Amino acid sequence: MVRVATLLLLRHGRTTANADGGLAGRQPVELDETGRAQATAVGERLKGLPLAAVVTSPLIRCRQTLELALPQAEPVVEEGLIECGYGSWEGQPLKKLAKEPLWPVVQQHPSAAVFPEGESMAAMAARAVAAVRSWDARITAEHGPEAVWLACSHGDVIKAIVADALGVHLDLFQRIVADPASVTAIRYTALRPFLVRLNDTGGDLSGLVPPPRKRRRRAARAADSDAAVGGGAGAAP
């Protein structure tokens, strides 16, 4: 399980829209004071991790988060990680949107939700998953299976990527939580992805770094995709 690259999904810190109960969408909404503190705090948790690459949604709230969390990094913009295109819903209060006929569809059947003048949730999920899987394959090829890399994105985008990793239908993705400045870790193997950590907002992240590779027999490599029966021993102390 540890012989594949590790993806860290970082949600941006809290924004002024989050605090006001609005739907930011793709508007140039920035971090508020709490969000800036969250970004600085997650930077302390990420400090020392050997990140092979840092990629980001093009929106300013993600770029601000990385500027505070990883000031030495040079993030690469990945359009596939941009927020869902909420169309005419953007900028509106969530309490108002909750009265719209589309709201129950978004909650109960998101795979069928298409936002007016915007994007469908299914399209958002497809391009986000394609983006991270492509980056993961590239980073593994260039840096080896022990590589750790980070992608900074948005709540619904991260939830969609997690749903794919869990092998659950998009209609169940509203059961997943991705808080501001949370870290979620996924390892993709030849057989299946492993969700290693979800919505982590505190604690040590060093255990997510795979140990140095040891020489192994060819037959042992097939076990990289095997789940540990009984739960396994977890990360090394």
Side-chain angles (χ1 to χ4, degrees):
M1 179 175 170
V2 299
R3 298 302 175 182
V4 291
T6 302
L7 162 62
L8 304 183
L9 290 165
L10 171 65
R11 186 184 171 193
H12 60 78
R14 196 180 82 167
T15 67
T16 53
N18 296 144
D20 293 339
L23 183 63
R26 297 180 180 179
Q27 295 182 328
V29 174
E30 301 190 22
L31 302 184
D32 67 0
E33 183 176 349
T34 296
R36 295 179 67 84
Q38 289 171 336
T40 301
V42 78
E44 288 299 312
R45 300 175 62 214
L46 293 167
K47 186 181 296 184
L49 268 62
L51 298 177
V54 176
V55 301
T56 181
S57 157
L59 297 182
I60 190 169
R61 54 191 182 268
C62 287
R63 291 187 283 111
Q64 286 178 332
T65 298
L66 291 176
E67 287 170 4
L68 291 166
L70 298 168
Q72 306 303 318
E74 298 182 1
V76 178
V77 170
E78 169 53 62
E79 293 290 340
L81 295 177
I82 196 170
E83 178 66 284
C84 185
Y86 297 116
S88 62
W89 276 33
E90 291 187 1
Q92 297 197 49
L94 291 172
K95 61 182 180 181
K96 176 184 176 182
L97 295 173
K99 301 175 183 178
E100 293 287 335
L102 182 61
W103 184 267
V105 180
V106 173
Q107 296 298 317
Q108 302 171 29
H109 193 22
S111 66
V114 182
F115 294 98
E117 303 175 39
E119 185 179 26
S120 71
M121 281 198 153
M124 174 273 290
R127 48 96 169 158
V129 169
V132 295
R133 284 180 175 266
S134 176
W135 271 97
D136 193 77
R138 185 188 322 174
I139 290 167
T140 299
E142 294 178 358
H143 299 278
E146 287 79 23
V148 180
W149 66 286
L150 182 142
C152 186
S153 191
H154 309 271
D156 279 350
V157 175
I158 292 172
K159 287 162 60 177
I161 294 169
V162 170
D164 169 74
L166 290 173
V168 302
H169 198 280
L170 186 62
D171 285 346
L172 301 179
F173 101 131
Q174 297 293 23
R175 302 183 183 195
I176 299 166
V177 176
D179 288 325
S182 64
V183 176
T184 292
I186 297 172
R187 290 188 179 122
Y188 293 99
T189 75
L191 181 61
R192 61 169 67 88
F194 288 94
L195 178 62
V196 181
R197 201 167 294 193
L198 175 65
N199 195 39
D200 189 333
T201 57
D204 184 14
L205 296 174
S206 62
L208 296 175
V209 179
R213 169 181 277 189
K214 297 179 181 178
R215 187 173 182 179
R216 298 181 301 158
R217 300 188 307 274
R218 182 181 301 273
R221 296 173 188 169
D224 288 347
S225 294
D226 290 350
V229 177

